Amino acid sequence: MTPENSPSPGTVDASALGLIPAPRTLTAAAAGPYPLGYRTPLTARPGTEGVARWLRATLGPPTGLPLPEGDGTGTSAGDGSGRGSTGQGIVLELDDALAPEGYRLAVEANAVRLTGGTAAGVFRGAQTLRQLLGPDAFRRAPLAPGRTWEVPPVVVEDEPRFGWRGMMLDVCRHFLPKDDVLRYLDLLAAHKLNVFHFHLTDDQGWRIEIKRYPCLTEVGSWRSRTKYGHRASELWDETPYGGFYTQEDIREIVAYAAERHIRVVPEIDIPGHSQAAISAYPELGNTDVVDTTALSVWDTWGVNPNVLAPTDDTLRFFEGVLEEVLELFPAETSPFVHMGGDECPKDQWKESPLAQARIAELGVKDEDGLQSWFIRHFDAWLTARGRRLIGWDEILEGGLAEGAAVSSWRGYGGGIAAAEAGHDVVMCPEQQVYLDHRQDGGPDEPMPIGYVRTLENVYRFEPVPPGLSEEAARHILGTQANVWTEVMQNRARVDYQVFPRLAAFAEVAWSALPAPADRDFAAFDARMRSAHYARLDALGVDYRPPGGPYPRQQRPGILGRPLEGEPPVV
């Protein structure tokens, strides 16, 4: 049962514990609470050693407790200060009878026993353990050295609803330094999310070092200025802007994610959203209809007309890019590679004699078929190397490659069509889970974009649309929230747009909730207020307060593009 439907009164105060996402069952333990002291051991059974390292590194700074290695046989003892603990301490172990990401956390008389179906399950349970210790367990140093830490007397049994629970972060429109990316991986992990979709290339900047093609970052990662606000704004920031991740940075990010059992999905966007690449290597563009040597990295927002030329040389170029990408993102961490495929205007192909000749040569129907040819080529190329292609729902146009998966962003429709055709789908409709959309209809929202999507709106989002056949529903891998950063110039702005709504989204993705209209938002909000906002405070997250933005979070006079009314369900 969820905290909204907790056991009899006085058994477990679910609201006070404030567990987010809500676990499947939360019951009272026969024993406890369980004190943690300076000599409390942490025992890692085979396969859980990585989680033990994470627990020590994460809980050590705020608690001051070393959690020494134990063998689980009751060898620890108190130290006479009242801070000690007898018995087995914290015990981590595997049980393959549980779901892969499922776990059981039980407070017993002589141990806190955390069992998972896999190491990932144990790690998800470790996040629950951290929440049970209270918001101060999310800090970086002890507030009161020597204080008593206790695990409340509970039994938590839990597993996720969906296997794909993600967030996409756009670092092209506005770049986040490596340390900020690592911080977001920690925030995803804290909310039991397990996919980080890394949007690395776009018209406004190329953000990943490719050694074979150095101009991609030497030229393509920098723009001369930046539009300030919506693209209709008359304001500009004239400061040259850019940045990229070295290959060493990427390896570190991927390794950091893997330690937190997060898959990283790199995105290399083709054949549209490619002006940064074309500015670095003009031969990639449609040189027979536009002077591509005059193009620079784009300094504004929207859909760009400059797309890749449908040539064999273009294919070879991006195969070279992907060879390095696959080496940086190993298959065990990144089984999927996102190839974009969205918002590719066909005007240049319609005007290009070369593109028209290619359409005739390939025997495809039209320009949509030409885009499909791009995607099909890289689907086969990635499949031959043990990876899977995923792309935005426009890749359905012209025919979808057999093994490709779809990120359904324009609404539910693309995902429904793909799932009914037997393709795997990640649901991320912009009308519901684009976190760049504004959170309130009031005048103080900074650079207001899109429809109003409140915390409650996100909590009532349902990834599986009604009416989907049972067989098609099995193709819904899960869901993700997307964060496009045109009007998010820095980490604080990203925090404001993402939180607290990502907490609601995480519960939708993880928990077995009722139908949207039946969800107890009041109980969720109570858990947020009793504990989770305090956790975000401890983590330094610059979230939108429930009462509206602080003056420092507002951006008066900066043009946005608010859309009125309820978003359409399409």
Side-chain angles (χ1 to χ4, degrees):
M1 65 190 68
T2 66
E4 289 92 332
N5 303 299
S6 57
S8 58
T11 305
V12 176
D13 187 350
S15 177
L17 293 178
L19 295 180
I20 291 177
R24 296 222 169 190
T25 65
L26 174 65
T27 55
Y34 191 89
L36 303 182
Y38 196 76
R39 297 180 65 181
T40 300
L42 172 58
T43 299
R45 305 289 195 205
T48 69
E49 297 85 353
V51 181
R53 286 194 299 272
W54 180 86
L55 266 174
R56 289 190 181 94
T58 303
L59 294 184
T63 64
L65 302 178
L67 300 176
E69 292 186 18
D71 60 11
T73 60
T75 58
S76 66
D79 60 5
S81 67
R83 294 180 295 142
S85 173
T86 59
Q88 294 180 326
I90 300 171
V91 180
L92 311 179
E93 55 194 359
L94 301 180
D95 180 354
D96 59 12
L98 296 174
E101 287 188 275
Y103 67 91
R104 184 177 191 272
L105 191 160
V107 174
E108 302 174 352
N110 63 348
V112 176
R113 193 170 302 278
L114 178 50
T115 308
T118 62
V122 178
F123 184 78
R124 308 300 173 218
Q127 298 292 346
T128 298
L129 174 61
R130 187 188 188 191
Q131 289 194 14
L132 289 170
L133 291 173
D136 286 349
F138 289 76
R139 296 190 177 276
R140 297 185 184 180
L143 297 187
R147 68 172 277 185
T148 299
W149 293 87
E150 291 183 337
V151 184
V154 295
V155 176
V156 181
E157 295 182 287
D158 204 6
E159 65 181 78
R161 179 185 179 193
F162 292 109
W164 185 302
R165 309 178 304 280
M167 188 188 90
M168 187 225 70
L169 181 62
D170 163 25
V171 294
C172 300
R173 278 50 178 264
H174 282 99
F175 178 70
L176 279 184
K178 179 197 69 177
D179 282 356
D180 288 343
V181 174
L182 299 178
R183 172 178 175 268
Y184 256 85
L185 290 170
D186 280 328
L187 291 172
L188 297 189
H191 292 82
K192 296 187 174 71
L193 299 175
N194 68 345
V195 175
F196 177 57
H197 177 166
F198 205 6
H199 184 78
L200 288 164
T201 75
D202 216 301
D203 300 304
Q204 295 86 359
W206 184 283
R207 304 291 180 223
I208 178 173
E209 178 187 27
I210 302 297
K211 293 185 182 296
R212 187 178 308 187
Y213 304 121
C215 287
L216 285 173
T217 47
E218 291 172 2
V219 174
S221 69
W222 296 94
R223 57 181 184 254
S224 61
R225 63 175 186 169
T226 300
K227 177 67 71 173
Y228 192 44
H230 184 260
R231 62 180 176 271
S233 167
E234 296 180 355
L235 300 177
W236 294 87
D237 183 339
E238 298 291 347
T239 306
Y241 186 90
F244 66 92
Y245 307 102
T246 67
Q247 294 203 350
E248 289 73 21
D249 292 336
I250 293 292
R251 290 189 177 94
E252 181 181 357
I253 289 167
V254 170
Y256 197 84
E259 289 175 348
R260 286 145 184 81
H261 300 275
I262 293 173
R263 287 176 285 159
V264 183
V265 179
E267 181 177 356
I268 306 297
D269 209 341
I270 64 166
H273 286 290
S274 297
Q275 182 159 318
I278 296 169
S279 72
Y281 293 92
E283 64 273 18
L284 294 173
N286 294 283
T287 57
D288 55 349
V289 295
V290 64
D291 180 8
T292 56
T293 63
L295 297 177
S296 59
V297 177
W298 212 24
D299 56 13
T300 189
W301 322 126
V303 178
N304 189 296
N306 296 297
V307 303
L308 297 174
T311 66
D312 288 342
D313 287 343
T314 299
L315 298 183
R316 301 292 89 75
F317 182 95
F318 278 91
E319 287 173 0
V321 168
L322 288 171
E323 285 173 1
E324 296 191 26
V325 167
L326 296 192
E327 195 274 326
L328 294 169
F329 295 88
E332 55 270 22
T333 303
S334 304
F336 286 88
V337 175
H338 206 290
M339 297 303 298
D342 61 316
E343 296 180 327
C344 178
K346 310 300 193 296
D347 301 304
Q348 290 184 357
W349 289 350
K350 290 177 181 177
E351 297 176 20
S352 165
L354 185 150
Q356 292 302 309
R358 197 74 201 237
I359 289 173
E361 174 192 341
L362 295 170
V364 297
K365 181 180 178 181
D366 54 17
E367 290 77 17
D368 285 343
L370 198 56
Q371 175 165 335
S372 177
W373 167 76
F374 261 104
I375 299 301
R376 287 175 183 273
H377 174 87
F378 285 106
D379 176 72
W381 191 92
L382 288 167
T383 299
R385 289 155 180 80
R387 307 298 181 95
R388 289 190 64 189
L389 182 144
I390 186 168
W392 302 112
D393 55 60
E394 286 96 329
I395 69 173
L396 290 162
E397 297 165 4
L400 185 57
E402 182 177 347
V406 169
S407 301
S408 188
W409 77 272
R410 290 182 293 180
Y412 289 107
I416 292 171
E420 294 287 4
H423 294 275
D424 289 338
V425 173
V426 175
M427 282 293 185
C428 49
E430 65 168 327
Q431 301 88 353
Q432 308 297 329
V433 288
Y434 267 35
L435 299 185
D436 45 307
H437 284 208
R438 59 193 173 133
Q439 303 185 62
D440 188 84
D444 294 331
E445 292 305 305
M447 303 185 197
I449 300 295
Y451 294 102
V452 172
R453 292 289 86 191
T454 65
L455 184 67
E456 182 172 358
N457 291 146
V458 174
Y459 191 66
R460 297 191 188 281
F461 164 62
E462 173 51 47
V464 180
L468 202 62
S469 72
E470 183 177 340
E471 182 177 352
R474 287 195 289 268
H475 285 286
I476 305 297
L477 299 177
T479 182
Q480 72 181 33
N482 293 339
V483 182
W484 300 103
T485 61
E486 287 92 338
V487 297
M488 302 179 213
Q489 299 89 344
N490 51 44
R491 185 178 89 177
R493 281 287 293 119
V494 174
D495 277 3
Y496 179 90
Q497 292 299 134
V498 170
F499 288 99
R501 292 182 295 181
L502 193 71
F505 174 80
E507 184 148 311
V508 168
W510 176 277
S511 304
L513 298 177
D518 299 328
R519 293 176 189 172
D520 192 345
F521 175 74
F524 171 80
D525 189 52
R527 283 181 282 128
M528 289 292 296
R529 292 174 187 269
S530 69
H532 205 67
Y533 284 119
R535 294 181 191 121
L536 297 178
D537 287 331
L539 288 166
V541 177
D542 204 7
Y543 59 87
R544 182 190 189 276
Y550 298 122
R552 63 176 172 78
Q553 294 173 321
Q554 299 170 19
R555 298 291 186 274
I558 311 301
L559 188 66
R561 184 175 175 265
L563 300 175
E564 302 302 333
E566 283 294 306
V569 178
V570 293

